[in-house]
Each structure stands twice: as C-alpha cells, then as structure tokens.
Amino acid sequence: MLRFLRRQSVRWLLLLGLCELLLLALSLNMATYLRYFRSPDELAEFSVHMPERALVFGTVIVIGMVALGQYQSHMRTSRFGLLARQVVAFALGGTLLVIGYYVVPQAYVGRGVLAMALSLGFALVLAFRLAFLRLVDVNALKRRVLILGAGLRAAQIHNQMRRRTDRRGFCVVGYVPRMDEPVAVPNEQLMRLNVPLQLIVQREQIDEVVVGVDDRRGHLPMDDLLECRQMGVTITDLTTFFERESGRLQLTILDPSWLVFSGGFNATPLRLLSKRCFDLGAATVLLLTLWPLMLLEALAIWLESGPGQPILYRQERVGEHGRTFLLLKFRSMRTDAERDGIARWASKNDDRVTRVGRISRKLRVDELPQLWNVLKGDMSIVGPRPERPQFVADLALQIRYYSLRHCLKPGLAGWAQLSYPYGATVEEAAEKLKYDLFYVKNHNLLLDLLILIQTVEVVLFGRGAR
C-alpha cells in the first residue's frame, strides 16, 4: 500500500483534486440544507437535480483553482500566497457560475445558497489543502529513491533540487559512489556499497534506483540492476528523472542519444490535427470574448499617441522550422524605440515603454492581436515563445539544443512562460530553454489545455511581464 502511495506526484494531485471536488459538492448540499431546512417543501424543490448541480458547482471552482496554479506540483508559495490564490480562484469560479446561471437559468441555486456554498467550500478546501500538503511532506509516504553515482552528474539532484517543493514526491535515501568517480555530494549522504546493490535496495525499502554515474561505459552493475528490476524496483536514467520530477530538461546532463531514444516528440498526423483544431477553436473563442478589450486597448493607444501614430506593431519573428513571419502586437513602446536598428531585449522599467504599454504588457493585452497569427497558422495557442531572428541567431551559437524549440510552432502561451519569468540574458534564455524542450518533447492536448487555463494566473499576478 505504501509503495502505491509513493508513486509520482501526479497521483497526489489527482487525489487532491478529486477530494476537493467532493468537498465542494458537499458544501453546496450543506448550503441548500442550511438555507431551507425550516421549509421542507422548498428544501425538496431545491434538492431536485442536486447531484448534477453540485457536480457543476465543484467542477467550475476546481477549474478556477487550476487557472490559479493550485494544482502545480512544484508551486512555491507561502501560506499567505496560497490563501491569496484561493481567494482569487473562488472569485473567478463564482463569477463563472453567475454567468452560467444567467445563460442556463434552470441550473440556478439562489444567491443565498451560492454565497453560503462558496463560503463553506472555501473553508473546507483551505483546511483540507493545508492538512493534505503537510501529509504529502511526510517522508514515509514518499517514493524512496537511491542514486547510483555520487559524481558531478548525480550531484545535480543535490544542487538543483534542494527545495521541499522539488522533492514533494520523493526522498533521497542516499548516493552510492562508483569506483574512480570523484565524489561531489556531502559525505553524510553517501552509502558505501559493501554488499550487493539489491541487498541495500531490499534493506532500505527502495522504490526507485536513479542511474547517475558520470561514465556508464563498463561501470554499471548490470546484474545487480537486473536483480533490482525483477524485485519490482523502478530503474531510471538521471535525465529522465529530472524531466519527470522538475518539468524541465537539465541541459548540463543532457545526452544526444537520450533525446534520440527517449519517448516524446509526438508529430503524428493525428496530434498535428488535434493541435490545429485546438488552436482554431481557442483563438475563435478568445477573439469573440475579448474583442471589447482589444477595442479599448486600441482607443487608449490612439488617445495617448495621437492621430497618425500606429496602433498595431509588426515585427519579424522566427517560427516553425526556422521560418520567419510577421507577428502582430498592440504597440506598447515609442515609435522610435529602435531607431538605430539594433534589436534589444526589454529590460525592467524600460523607458521605451509608453504609459498605456506598461499596463497592457502587465496584463498581456498587447499580445492579443497574435490571435490573428494563430488563425493564419503562423503560431499556436500554446508553444515556445517566438523570438526575433537576431536573438535566435546569437542564442543558437551560445546555447546547445536551442534550435530544437523550433520544431513546433511558437505559441501565445507556453510552459516556459508559466514556469520561468521573462528572460533578457543568455543565461536566462538557457533556463527557459529547459522548459521549452520539456514542452516540445511532451506536448499533448491535455497539457495544452492546462497551460491555457493556468495562463490566467500569469495575467492576474503579472508574472514575467516587462
């Protein structure tokens, strides 16, 4: 039973979401009873189709919490941050419910019941989430991981995954050094191999062995690993472990052969068709929903800059397979921002940004015209950020594997934009590339949908805008 509970953190998130959905459904039932328990006739009337109404109520609120990143396995936030996100998530979910009740009056539950259900649901979910997060941090319920190797590659786990949120799904029991390998992890974390590996695995109740030796040629105890595999222990390559647990590819340990032989990079006709249909559907819905906001943005730019000044800005960007296209944006900088013709990254508090542009960049309104690029087929709704040709040419020379991000269409939203702030240096571009490559390798329709929903959090909290 414990071994099942120690599986990947995705299972914890699914369990968390399901429990909170049930609590929210329960809160609507409780609110209906508290509101009408003195009037049996009204209670019976409003209890009709209660399971369906409770499911809709819980689902909408859960979607609001997904949009605010409440189900990210690596979310780093304080208790106050958790509370603030939940407040916004319930406000967003409540607004969606009111709109839904207006569109479908038959689903209406009453203002008093809705207010009480939101209050009860908020309290129940907050209490349960705090208890749940404390529970998953108990080491007894985490996967027990043994690292085979203690050199520079294995030390990446110690150096790059030190936070509690990074290790929410596992705990490192120790590192087993190999002969002729320099030790790069603290001595107190070493486990000397004075008995066969499978005996250590059995004694320490190991669930997974991560192979992280610096040189695997002739230095792996294959017979011992095979014994461990037959015992039901998972054997994982270090690069795969990083990809799974951190949501990014660690470039410093990335081996070209791993990219060639590992799974992912789904470019089947069915996947390409589903992605294009998703792009067309999402872009159409967003345009029909946000056109008043786009009209207000155009008016604000016109009022600030005056007649005759451009409202839209066209800029060459690099798209799929390195092909360039003209990207559309609302103009957020002065018209003479690059009068010398030299491309520059936007910096923090950039004086080239206009007053309207500063607000629209914060709220990402300036990027809404890119929906036209999506409809044309130059971009996708979700994908790596499109960069300028000058930047791409420089970064491709300085960062290995940078060109891999162009095997997909660039996106209006993206995994890197969710996971990492705006990058304005080569080092920051290399960090963002780790997340871009994770998306390129693992993209699917569900991931696209989750990224699009969680982009709401980026807009509301203004993360990464410059």
Side-chain angles (χ1 to χ4, degrees), residues 297 301-302 304-306 309-313 329-336 354 356-357 360-361 366 369:
E297 172 71 7
I301 295 173
W302 183 80
E304 181 182 35
S305 300
Q309 295 297 314
I311 292 175
L312 291 175
Y313 180 60
K329 295 182 72 172
F330 282 121
R331 184 172 60 83
S332 58
M333 288 190 175
R334 303 190 312 265
T335 54
D336 62 347
T354 63
V356 172
S360 62
R361 278 172 169 255
D366 63 316

mmCIF file of all heavy atoms in Angstrom, residues 297 301-302 304-306 309-313 329-336 354 356-357 360-361 366 369:
data_model
loop_
_atom_site.group_PDB
_atom_site.id
_atom_site.type_symbol
_atom_site.label_atom_id
_atom_site.label_comp_id
_atom_site.label_asym_id
_atom_site.label_seq_id
_atom_site.Cartn_x
_atom_site.Cartn_y
_atom_site.Cartn_z
ATOM 1 N N GLU A 297 -8.180 48.847 -25.843
ATOM 2 C CA GLU A 297 -6.726 48.989 -25.931
ATOM 3 C C GLU A 297 -6.346 49.862 -27.129
ATOM 4 O O GLU A 297 -5.486 50.749 -27.009
ATOM 5 C CB GLU A 297 -6.079 47.611 -26.057
ATOM 6 C CG GLU A 297 -4.595 47.613 -26.341
ATOM 7 C CD GLU A 297 -3.739 48.063 -25.163
ATOM 8 O OE1 GLU A 297 -4.304 48.244 -24.066
ATOM 9 O OE2 GLU A 297 -2.516 48.226 -25.350
ATOM 10 N N ILE A 301 -4.402 53.545 -26.906
ATOM 11 C CA ILE A 301 -3.155 53.846 -27.639
ATOM 12 C C ILE A 301 -3.344 55.087 -28.510
ATOM 13 O O ILE A 301 -2.471 55.958 -28.576
ATOM 14 C CB ILE A 301 -2.735 52.629 -28.493
ATOM 15 C CG1 ILE A 301 -2.380 51.444 -27.596
ATOM 16 C CG2 ILE A 301 -1.547 52.983 -29.385
ATOM 17 C CD1 ILE A 301 -2.120 50.156 -28.350
ATOM 18 N N TRP A 302 -4.502 55.176 -29.164
ATOM 19 C CA TRP A 302 -4.785 56.323 -30.039
ATOM 20 C C TRP A 302 -4.851 57.620 -29.227
ATOM 21 O O TRP A 302 -4.326 58.656 -29.647
ATOM 22 C CB TRP A 302 -6.102 56.074 -30.774
ATOM 23 C CG TRP A 302 -6.462 57.160 -31.752
ATOM 24 C CD1 TRP A 302 -5.985 57.333 -33.013
ATOM 25 C CD2 TRP A 302 -7.395 58.233 -31.512
ATOM 26 N NE1 TRP A 302 -6.551 58.442 -33.591
ATOM 27 C CE2 TRP A 302 -7.422 59.024 -32.694
ATOM 28 C CE3 TRP A 302 -8.197 58.607 -30.444
ATOM 29 C CZ2 TRP A 302 -8.225 60.153 -32.817
ATOM 30 C CZ3 TRP A 302 -8.991 59.727 -30.556
ATOM 31 C CH2 TRP A 302 -9.008 60.496 -31.729
ATOM 32 N N GLU A 304 -3.397 58.254 -26.331
ATOM 33 C CA GLU A 304 -2.091 58.622 -25.782
ATOM 34 C C GLU A 304 -1.142 59.119 -26.857
ATOM 35 O O GLU A 304 -0.437 60.118 -26.658
ATOM 36 C CB GLU A 304 -1.465 57.434 -25.065
ATOM 37 C CG GLU A 304 -0.105 57.773 -24.446
ATOM 38 C CD GLU A 304 0.553 56.582 -23.776
ATOM 39 O OE1 GLU A 304 0.392 55.458 -24.274
ATOM 40 O OE2 GLU A 304 1.231 56.790 -22.754
ATOM 41 N N SER A 305 -1.114 58.436 -28.004
ATOM 42 C CA SER A 305 -0.119 58.763 -29.038
ATOM 43 C C SER A 305 -0.598 59.807 -30.021
ATOM 44 O O SER A 305 0.217 60.447 -30.682
ATOM 45 C CB SER A 305 0.266 57.491 -29.797
ATOM 46 O OG SER A 305 0.809 56.538 -28.908
ATOM 47 N N GLY A 306 -1.933 59.947 -30.159
ATOM 48 C CA GLY A 306 -2.462 60.933 -31.080
ATOM 49 C C GLY A 306 -2.721 60.351 -32.460
ATOM 50 O O GLY A 306 -2.234 59.274 -32.804
ATOM 51 N N GLN A 309 -0.438 57.969 -35.454
ATOM 52 C CA GLN A 309 0.536 57.037 -34.886
ATOM 53 C C GLN A 309 0.005 55.599 -34.991
ATOM 54 O O GLN A 309 -1.192 55.369 -34.820
ATOM 55 C CB GLN A 309 0.816 57.375 -33.421
ATOM 56 C CG GLN A 309 1.479 58.725 -33.214
ATOM 57 C CD GLN A 309 2.846 58.792 -33.869
ATOM 58 O OE1 GLN A 309 3.656 57.869 -33.738
ATOM 59 N NE2 GLN A 309 3.102 59.872 -34.602
ATOM 60 N N PRO A 310 0.874 54.643 -35.280
ATOM 61 C CA PRO A 310 0.398 53.255 -35.447
ATOM 62 C C PRO A 310 -0.122 52.667 -34.136
ATOM 63 O O PRO A 310 0.426 52.922 -33.066
ATOM 64 C CB PRO A 310 1.644 52.514 -35.932
ATOM 65 C CG PRO A 310 2.799 53.334 -35.455
ATOM 66 C CD PRO A 310 2.330 54.755 -35.480
ATOM 67 N N ILE A 311 -1.191 51.896 -34.257
ATOM 68 C CA ILE A 311 -1.763 51.203 -33.103
ATOM 69 C C ILE A 311 -1.197 49.790 -33.013
ATOM 70 O O ILE A 311 -0.843 49.327 -31.931
ATOM 71 C CB ILE A 311 -3.302 51.177 -33.206
ATOM 72 C CG1 ILE A 311 -3.847 52.591 -33.041
ATOM 73 C CG2 ILE A 311 -3.901 50.248 -32.142
ATOM 74 C CD1 ILE A 311 -5.344 52.705 -33.240
ATOM 75 N N LEU A 312 -1.082 49.137 -34.157
ATOM 76 C CA LEU A 312 -0.507 47.802 -34.202
ATOM 77 C C LEU A 312 0.972 47.869 -34.540
ATOM 78 O O LEU A 312 1.442 48.817 -35.188
ATOM 79 C CB LEU A 312 -1.235 46.941 -35.240
ATOM 80 C CG LEU A 312 -2.681 46.545 -34.919
ATOM 81 C CD1 LEU A 312 -3.284 45.795 -36.095
ATOM 82 C CD2 LEU A 312 -2.753 45.706 -33.655
ATOM 83 N N TYR A 313 1.695 46.872 -34.105
ATOM 84 C CA TYR A 313 3.134 46.799 -34.327
ATOM 85 C C TYR A 313 3.444 45.463 -34.978
ATOM 86 O O TYR A 313 3.017 44.413 -34.493
ATOM 87 C CB TYR A 313 3.853 46.919 -32.973
ATOM 88 C CG TYR A 313 5.353 46.856 -33.038
ATOM 89 C CD1 TYR A 313 6.084 47.787 -33.770
ATOM 90 C CD2 TYR A 313 6.056 45.874 -32.340
ATOM 91 C CE1 TYR A 313 7.463 47.737 -33.814
ATOM 92 C CE2 TYR A 313 7.436 45.822 -32.382
ATOM 93 C CZ TYR A 313 8.130 46.756 -33.116
ATOM 94 O OH TYR A 313 9.503 46.704 -33.166
ATOM 95 N N LYS A 329 1.243 42.811 -32.738
ATOM 96 C CA LYS A 329 1.059 43.179 -31.333
ATOM 97 C C LYS A 329 0.478 44.581 -31.278
ATOM 98 O O LYS A 329 0.631 45.369 -32.223
ATOM 99 C CB LYS A 329 2.394 43.162 -30.576
ATOM 100 C CG LYS A 329 3.050 41.813 -30.441
ATOM 101 C CD LYS A 329 4.338 41.898 -29.645
ATOM 102 C CE LYS A 329 4.078 42.141 -28.173
ATOM 103 N NZ LYS A 329 5.320 42.041 -27.363
ATOM 104 N N PHE A 330 -0.198 44.894 -30.187
ATOM 105 C CA PHE A 330 -0.523 46.288 -29.922
ATOM 106 C C PHE A 330 0.775 47.009 -29.568
ATOM 107 O O PHE A 330 1.587 46.506 -28.787
ATOM 108 C CB PHE A 330 -1.514 46.423 -28.767
ATOM 109 C CG PHE A 330 -2.936 46.125 -29.149
ATOM 110 C CD1 PHE A 330 -3.643 45.114 -28.508
ATOM 111 C CD2 PHE A 330 -3.563 46.844 -30.145
ATOM 112 C CE1 PHE A 330 -4.953 44.829 -28.855
ATOM 113 C CE2 PHE A 330 -4.883 46.572 -30.498
ATOM 114 C CZ PHE A 330 -5.572 45.563 -29.857
ATOM 115 N N ARG A 331 0.968 48.177 -30.132
ATOM 116 C CA ARG A 331 2.218 48.915 -29.882
ATOM 117 C C ARG A 331 2.268 49.345 -28.418
ATOM 118 O O ARG A 331 1.371 50.010 -27.924
ATOM 119 C CB ARG A 331 2.306 50.129 -30.806
ATOM 120 C CG ARG A 331 3.627 50.899 -30.669
ATOM 121 C CD ARG A 331 3.746 51.973 -31.724
ATOM 122 N NE ARG A 331 2.656 52.931 -31.625
ATOM 123 C CZ ARG A 331 2.635 53.959 -30.790
ATOM 124 N NH1 ARG A 331 3.650 54.165 -29.959
ATOM 125 N NH2 ARG A 331 1.615 54.790 -30.780
ATOM 126 N N SER A 332 3.337 48.948 -27.725
ATOM 127 C CA SER A 332 3.499 49.295 -26.313
ATOM 128 C C SER A 332 4.747 50.131 -26.059
ATOM 129 O O SER A 332 5.011 50.518 -24.923
ATOM 130 C CB SER A 332 3.566 48.011 -25.465
ATOM 131 O OG SER A 332 4.638 47.191 -25.901
ATOM 132 N N MET A 333 5.530 50.403 -27.113
ATOM 133 C CA MET A 333 6.725 51.235 -26.989
ATOM 134 C C MET A 333 6.611 52.467 -27.890
ATOM 135 O O MET A 333 5.758 52.520 -28.781
ATOM 136 C CB MET A 333 7.981 50.436 -27.376
ATOM 137 C CG MET A 333 8.399 49.390 -26.378
ATOM 138 S SD MET A 333 10.029 48.703 -26.776
ATOM 139 C CE MET A 333 10.294 47.637 -25.367
ATOM 140 N N ARG A 334 7.496 53.413 -27.653
ATOM 141 C CA ARG A 334 7.543 54.588 -28.526
ATOM 142 C C ARG A 334 7.894 54.154 -29.944
ATOM 143 O O ARG A 334 8.554 53.133 -30.157
ATOM 144 C CB ARG A 334 8.580 55.595 -28.022
ATOM 145 C CG ARG A 334 8.363 56.070 -26.590
ATOM 146 C CD ARG A 334 9.299 57.249 -26.291
ATOM 147 N NE ARG A 334 10.667 56.979 -26.715
ATOM 148 C CZ ARG A 334 11.607 56.493 -25.900
ATOM 149 N NH1 ARG A 334 11.305 56.206 -24.639
ATOM 150 N NH2 ARG A 334 12.837 56.282 -26.343
ATOM 151 N N THR A 335 7.487 54.942 -30.908
ATOM 152 C CA THR A 335 7.764 54.597 -32.312
ATOM 153 C C THR A 335 9.249 54.663 -32.635
ATOM 154 O O THR A 335 9.698 54.060 -33.609
ATOM 155 C CB THR A 335 6.992 55.543 -33.250
ATOM 156 O OG1 THR A 335 7.298 56.908 -32.906
ATOM 157 C CG2 THR A 335 5.489 55.317 -33.129
ATOM 158 N N ASP A 336 10.036 55.376 -31.824
ATOM 159 C CA ASP A 336 11.486 55.466 -32.066
ATOM 160 C C ASP A 336 12.274 54.562 -31.112
ATOM 161 O O ASP A 336 13.449 54.812 -30.830
ATOM 162 C CB ASP A 336 11.966 56.910 -31.906
ATOM 163 C CG ASP A 336 11.735 57.453 -30.490
ATOM 164 O OD1 ASP A 336 10.977 56.798 -29.720
ATOM 165 O OD2 ASP A 336 12.289 58.502 -30.147
ATOM 166 N N THR A 354 5.516 52.928 -23.281
ATOM 167 C CA THR A 354 4.567 54.003 -23.041
ATOM 168 C C THR A 354 3.757 53.734 -21.776
ATOM 169 O O THR A 354 3.805 52.639 -21.211
ATOM 170 C CB THR A 354 3.610 54.156 -24.234
ATOM 171 O OG1 THR A 354 2.833 52.952 -24.370
ATOM 172 C CG2 THR A 354 4.389 54.382 -25.539
ATOM 173 N N VAL A 356 0.417 53.557 -21.502
ATOM 174 C CA VAL A 356 -0.574 52.525 -21.829
ATOM 175 C C VAL A 356 0.107 51.180 -22.008
ATOM 176 O O VAL A 356 -0.383 50.143 -21.550
ATOM 177 C CB VAL A 356 -1.357 52.915 -23.100
ATOM 178 C CG1 VAL A 356 -2.246 51.751 -23.565
ATOM 179 C CG2 VAL A 356 -2.203 54.148 -22.849
ATOM 180 N N GLY A 357 1.271 51.194 -22.646
ATOM 181 C CA GLY A 357 2.007 49.951 -22.884
ATOM 182 C C GLY A 357 2.434 49.275 -21.598
ATOM 183 O O GLY A 357 2.471 48.039 -21.520
ATOM 184 N N SER A 360 -0.681 47.441 -20.457
ATOM 185 C CA SER A 360 -1.070 46.350 -21.360
ATOM 186 C C SER A 360 -0.047 45.216 -21.346
ATOM 187 O O SER A 360 -0.400 44.044 -21.491
ATOM 188 C CB SER A 360 -1.259 46.878 -22.783
ATOM 189 O OG SER A 360 -0.055 47.415 -23.290
ATOM 190 N N ARG A 361 1.247 45.534 -21.149
ATOM 191 C CA ARG A 361 2.251 44.486 -21.031
ATOM 192 C C ARG A 361 2.055 43.687 -19.747
ATOM 193 O O ARG A 361 2.236 42.469 -19.722
ATOM 194 C CB ARG A 361 3.659 45.088 -21.042
ATOM 195 C CG ARG A 361 4.192 45.390 -22.428
ATOM 196 C CD ARG A 361 5.505 46.155 -22.367
ATOM 197 N NE ARG A 361 6.122 46.204 -23.682
ATOM 198 C CZ ARG A 361 7.167 45.477 -24.059
ATOM 199 N NH1 ARG A 361 7.715 44.644 -23.205
ATOM 200 N NH2 ARG A 361 7.665 45.578 -25.278
ATOM 201 N N ASP A 366 -1.337 43.453 -24.841
ATOM 202 C CA ASP A 366 -0.615 43.799 -26.066
ATOM 203 C C ASP A 366 -0.417 42.596 -26.987
ATOM 204 O O ASP A 366 -0.175 42.755 -28.188
ATOM 205 C CB ASP A 366 0.740 44.420 -25.728
ATOM 206 C CG ASP A 366 1.656 43.458 -24.989
ATOM 207 O OD1 ASP A 366 1.174 42.769 -24.062
ATOM 208 O OD2 ASP A 366 2.846 43.377 -25.335
ATOM 209 N N PRO A 369 -3.473 40.642 -30.414
ATOM 210 C CA PRO A 369 -3.513 40.547 -31.884
ATOM 211 C C PRO A 369 -2.826 39.300 -32.442
ATOM 212 O O PRO A 369 -3.045 38.941 -33.603
ATOM 213 C CB PRO A 369 -2.790 41.823 -32.333
ATOM 214 C CG PRO A 369 -3.022 42.793 -31.230
ATOM 215 C CD PRO A 369 -2.969 41.957 -29.983
#
